Amino acid sequence: YHIRYANSNESVWGARDTDEDLSSMRGVFAALLRASAILDLDAHMRPLWREFLANLAPLATSSDPDALRSADYRGTEVFARGRKPAVKTGGGILPDQNSLPMWFFDLCNLESQNTDTLRLANTTFDAYFPHSITPETPVTVLSKLAVAASILGRSEAVRYLIPNQIRAITPERNTAYRNGGVLANRMTLREGPQALDAERLGRAAQALHLALLQSSPAAPGEDATIRVFPAWPKDWDGRFTLLARGAFLVTSSMTNGAIDSVELVSNAGGPCRLRNPWGTVDVEIQRNAAPAETLNGPLLAFQTEKGQTIIVKPKKSTSTLRGPPGVKSPIS
């Protein structure tokens, strides 16, 4: 199944199999099937939805002969914005960095089992930075590249991209007040007078959340797995309390490169899947401050009750897992 005469963000018009549409369909239809099963509704529609999803056109890449790319493209294989024909193409072959649909809808993340998709996601991410990522790499207002770095666990990219987006180190519009630079309240007037802009702060906040905590499934519609500090530089000390999927309120801290413990408050009850922060070592589970059980392996799976507080700690010393001395994060 193909989609025609669709747009990709603002610069691709009337194209075929556009990245935003195919990515969202893959995420939404998988969620639809999961919701239908959970709620026991519309069972007669599930075969139709599965058939549609199974036969939906694959996402376009630069190796596709019909990809929206220049005829002389010789770069590595990357995601493309769609396929020909198109009324208008623009912005180059790479997905618009303000939308990056392949990184969303649970199509690719650290839990993904589809190695080809994960490889493409990483090579595409790298293609945005042909000269590497440095303390001077600018991140535009609406860019999701810092978010993508977190999703892919690219901590060395996170080190610069999140702070640089907050700082707006390269003002974007010389027609705006202070060239669109950051005001005392951290907002900008990029779009003009009386148009206070906090969009880049929202992007940076999302990237920060995902660098500290993720709760993504291996594929759309599957069970989520919680990861703590999945893209956090090891030499940054940090502590957070953030919400994860499944209504788990998660608190954790990292000191000198080592994760100290994980606390989960189960606001809804139900199963919890936690990627073992200490690799495969044995961990002890405390429920409402009382010792409960011991688990081991790379994935810790256990049931919870609504309102229960669970603390997960390694049974053995993690001194051998400590990294370099911690430093204060530049993000505050």
Side-chain angles (χ1 to χ4, degrees):
Y1 295 116
H2 298 269
I3 183 169
R4 304 176 188 273
Y5 314 116
N7 299 349
S8 174
N9 209 280
E10 297 177 351
S11 54
V12 170
W13 301 352
R16 180 167 64 103
D17 296 340
T18 42
D19 54 351
E20 294 177 350
D21 300 279
L22 289 185
S23 297
S24 60
M25 286 179 184
R26 291 183 182 282
V28 169
F29 270 82
L32 173 63
L33 283 161
R34 180 70 180 266
S36 174
I38 291 172
L39 299 173
D40 194 23
L41 294 172
D42 301 315
H44 67 287
M45 292 296 294
R46 289 177 212 159
L48 178 64
W49 296 333
R50 289 193 189 97
E51 191 271 342
F52 174 82
L53 193 55
N55 292 284
L56 188 61
L59 294 168
T61 74
S62 57
S63 62
D64 190 319
D66 291 331
L68 297 178
R69 58 173 174 78
S70 60
D72 59 349
Y73 180 82
R74 296 294 182 270
T76 57
E77 185 182 22
V78 294
F79 285 123
R81 298 184 66 181
R83 294 185 174 91
K84 303 171 185 176
V87 174
K88 176 188 174 185
T89 63
I93 187 172
L94 293 173
D96 192 303
Q97 63 178 289
N98 294 350
S99 58
L100 295 181
M102 297 80 167
W103 280 259
F104 295 85
F105 307 105
D106 297 325
L107 297 181
C108 63
N109 56 66
L110 292 172
E111 289 295 322
S112 297
Q113 300 301 304
N114 188 322
T115 56
D116 286 339
T117 299
L118 200 55
R119 173 187 56 81
L120 271 170
N122 276 284
T123 55
T124 304
F125 177 83
D126 290 335
Y128 290 98
F129 305 101
H131 305 296
S132 74
I133 299 172
T134 73
E136 288 75 43
T137 299
V139 186
T140 57
V141 167
L142 287 176
S143 174
K144 289 184 177 179
L145 286 172
V147 179
S150 293
I151 289 173
L152 294 173
R154 305 285 291 265
S155 59
E156 288 308 303
V158 164
R159 179 188 300 277
Y160 300 118
L161 296 184
I162 296 178
N164 289 359
Q165 188 159 35
I166 293 172
R167 295 170 185 147
I169 60 175
T170 304
E172 294 186 15
R173 295 188 179 182
N174 56 19
T175 58
Y177 178 67
R178 295 185 61 183
N179 296 329
V182 179
L183 306 177
N185 62 3
R186 294 196 176 189
M187 299 183 188
T188 66
L189 287 171
R190 173 178 173 269
E191 299 287 349
Q194 301 183 38
L196 279 170
D197 186 336
E199 292 173 297
R200 81 182 200 294
L201 299 179
R203 290 283 199 256
Q206 184 181 14
L208 180 62
H209 185 142
L210 292 169
L212 293 165
L213 175 71
Q214 294 182 30
S215 51
S216 302
E222 296 186 6
D223 293 327
T225 298
I226 295 172
R227 285 177 179 252
V228 296
F229 296 103
W232 195 250
K234 297 297 183 185
D235 56 337
W236 286 3
D237 290 350
R239 176 181 171 84
F240 69 83
T241 298
L242 294 166
L243 195 64
R245 297 192 202 188
F248 292 103
L249 189 65
V250 183
T251 299
S252 188
S253 61
M254 176 185 283
T255 307
N256 294 334
I259 296 169
D260 303 311
S261 65
V262 180
E263 177 187 286
L264 305 105
V265 178
S266 181
N267 291 318
C272 179
R273 292 162 52 90
L274 173 67
R275 189 60 61 185
N276 191 335
W278 304 280
T280 59
V281 303
D282 291 355
V283 302
E284 58 182 17
I285 305 290
Q286 297 179 6
R287 298 176 183 268
N288 294 334
E293 66 253 54
T294 298
L295 298 174
N296 57 35
L299 181 64
L300 310 174
F302 47 90
Q303 287 291 326
T304 70
E305 297 177 1
K306 184 175 181 179
Q308 193 173 55
T309 297
I310 295 166
I311 300 206
V312 184
K313 292 182 177 181
K315 286 200 71 173
K316 298 178 181 179
S317 171
T318 59
S319 59
T320 57
L321 301 178
R322 293 189 180 273
V327 297
K328 183 179 179 182
S329 162
I331 302 170
S332 60

